[in-house]
Amino acid sequence: MNKRIGIVGVGALGCLLASRLTAVDGVQVVMLGHWPEQLAALRQKGLLVEQLDGSRTRHLVEVTNQPTAVAPVDIALILVKSYQTPTAARETAQWLKPTGLAVTLQNGLGNREKLAAVLGAERVAVGTTSHGATVLAPGVIRHAGEADSYLAQEAAVLAPILREAGFVTHVTAVVESVIWGKLVINAGLNPLTALICQPNGYIAAEPQAAYLARAAAQETAAVAQARGILLPYPYAQAGEQVIQVCRASAGNRSSMWQDVSRGARTEIEAITGEVVQHGRVYAIPTPANNVFLRFMRMYEEYRQANLPTYPIPLANLIQLYEEEKESNER
């Protein structure tokens, strides 16, 4: 197995994958990114990973900010934020071998289409993973939660590599089902944790928070059902699924809350924005998602204007959700 793998994105999940893939015989790993402090730390000290059992391991990883400055890759794993996908597509086009494959493991919807527009549909495959990871400092990450990974059949070549790296990986003919299954979970917990600035476990423990998370998840499941997409679980159980995930990852800070806490742009449009948009197309009411989208867009406006943002009181979100829900029922 002689494969050169490029990881596009130097965030928490990209680093987690790199830390394990570097140990696989016959695999060369290079990370591509543009976060100066992260690149400097990785070059100077390597990558420090706090494992699930609390132990720490250090890994040497090759990094670059110029795709044309390093050798081409056989497989490019796309792990940037969804709004960075167009840039990632252009850089991957410069880096990927003519016979190479780009595999997106990103959150949200629309990433495959953006990559295919630049690389060609035959050079793009999709997958999903729900591993939790958090950046603690430049060059330091915490593995926050173990989960299975799923790949479309077009990406089957990657499966044995991920398995050898220690990731439980499945190849499926219905990867769209898994992607929407993850979207349901993300829609329920990501915006809510970001808006109230609380870890996942708070959602499961606080009845009002759980109420809102379930509502957003059920709305997303209803949209999936209208589109004819089967979920990995019954549609009616979507709300309970998000609570189970919150309970299982109680100490984890969602990726969207991590973005908000450092004043960064979020993936709200690729997650909640997509749910609301598809809901309109299929005439499916999405009041909880509407409220989340409204407040997260307000956050984005404040962020761009360099204005301070604050946690939104949960009671305010509940009130607005009830008002929007009642309006839809009239």
Side-chain angles (χ1 to χ4, degrees):
M1 183 195 302
N2 289 309
K3 293 289 183 183
R4 185 167 170 83
I5 296 180
I7 296 179
V8 184
V10 293
L13 191 55
C15 285
L16 177 64
L17 283 161
S19 71
R20 293 193 184 180
L21 287 170
T22 53
V24 178
D25 288 340
V27 171
Q28 293 179 306
V29 178
V30 185
M31 300 188 75
L32 169 66
H34 302 281
W35 179 11
E37 293 82 4
Q38 181 81 323
L39 294 176
L42 293 174
R43 286 174 177 139
Q44 294 167 12
K45 301 178 182 178
L47 171 64
L48 185 64
V49 181
E50 183 179 300
Q51 304 292 349
L52 289 171
D53 62 3
S55 64
R56 290 192 162 197
T57 56
R58 192 173 292 278
H59 310 265
L60 297 179
V61 183
E62 184 181 355
V63 297
T64 185
N65 61 355
Q66 293 290 337
T68 55
V70 292
V73 296
D74 300 287
I75 300 172
L77 297 181
I78 312 301
L79 287 160
V80 297
K81 297 291 185 180
S82 57
Y83 55 82
Q84 297 171 321
T85 303
T87 299
R90 292 191 294 271
E91 292 187 326
T92 301
Q94 300 175 50
W95 199 19
L96 193 62
K97 291 180 180 179
T99 56
L101 182 69
V103 182
T104 168
L105 297 175
Q106 299 162 275
N107 283 332
L109 303 179
N111 296 301
R112 171 175 47 191
E113 292 76 9
K114 292 171 186 172
L115 291 166
V118 177
L119 299 169
E122 71 285 355
R123 302 177 73 202
V124 177
V126 296
T128 182
T129 184
S130 296
H131 277 269
T134 304
V135 174
L136 301 179
V140 184
I141 69 163
R142 174 189 294 135
H143 187 190
E146 194 86 32
D148 291 5
S149 300
Y150 294 83
L151 298 172
Q153 291 177 325
E154 296 81 2
V157 64
L158 179 61
I161 301 174
L162 290 179
R163 290 173 188 142
E164 193 166 339
F167 296 103
V168 178
T169 304
H170 311 274
V171 177
T172 175
V174 288
V175 71
E176 203 73 19
S177 167
V178 183
I179 289 171
W180 271 84
K182 183 180 178 183
L183 182 70
V184 168
I185 305 302
N186 280 338
L189 74 86
N190 257 291
L192 183 54
T193 54
L195 288 169
I196 64 177
C197 299
Q198 293 287 349
N200 294 359
Y202 180 87
I203 306 301
E206 163 55 50
Q208 285 192 312
Y211 172 62
L212 268 182
R214 285 191 182 98
Q218 286 296 164
E219 292 169 9
T220 308
V223 173
Q225 186 173 19
R227 285 177 55 83
I229 295 169
L230 290 174
L231 296 177
Y233 38 79
Y235 298 114
Q237 292 182 13
E240 291 312 309
Q241 287 290 322
V242 74
I243 299 305
Q244 287 180 26
V245 169
C246 288
R247 195 173 290 125
S249 58
N252 192 37
R253 291 158 49 104
S254 74
S255 59
M256 198 170 291
W257 183 25
Q258 290 183 53
D259 291 337
V260 167
S261 66
R262 59 192 177 88
R265 187 176 173 183
T266 72
E267 295 182 290
I268 191 64
E269 297 297 338
I271 298 173
T272 310
E274 288 284 340
V275 174
V276 170
Q277 181 177 336
H278 286 297
R280 288 179 183 144
V281 170
Y282 292 94
I284 303 296
T286 57
N289 281 283
N290 290 352
V291 171
F292 291 168
L293 184 60
R294 187 185 315 157
F295 276 95
M296 288 305 302
R297 282 177 172 170
M298 189 182 302
Y299 157 78
E300 296 289 356
E301 291 175 4
Y302 276 47
R303 180 188 63 81
Q304 291 178 26
N306 293 317
L307 295 172
T309 58
Y310 302 94
I312 305 297
L314 183 57
N316 289 16
L317 295 175
I318 292 284
Q319 180 182 350
L320 288 169
Y321 164 64
E322 295 293 357
E323 291 173 359
E324 180 120 4
K325 183 181 175 185
E326 182 180 348
S327 175
N328 287 329
E329 292 171 350
R330 287 176 189 157

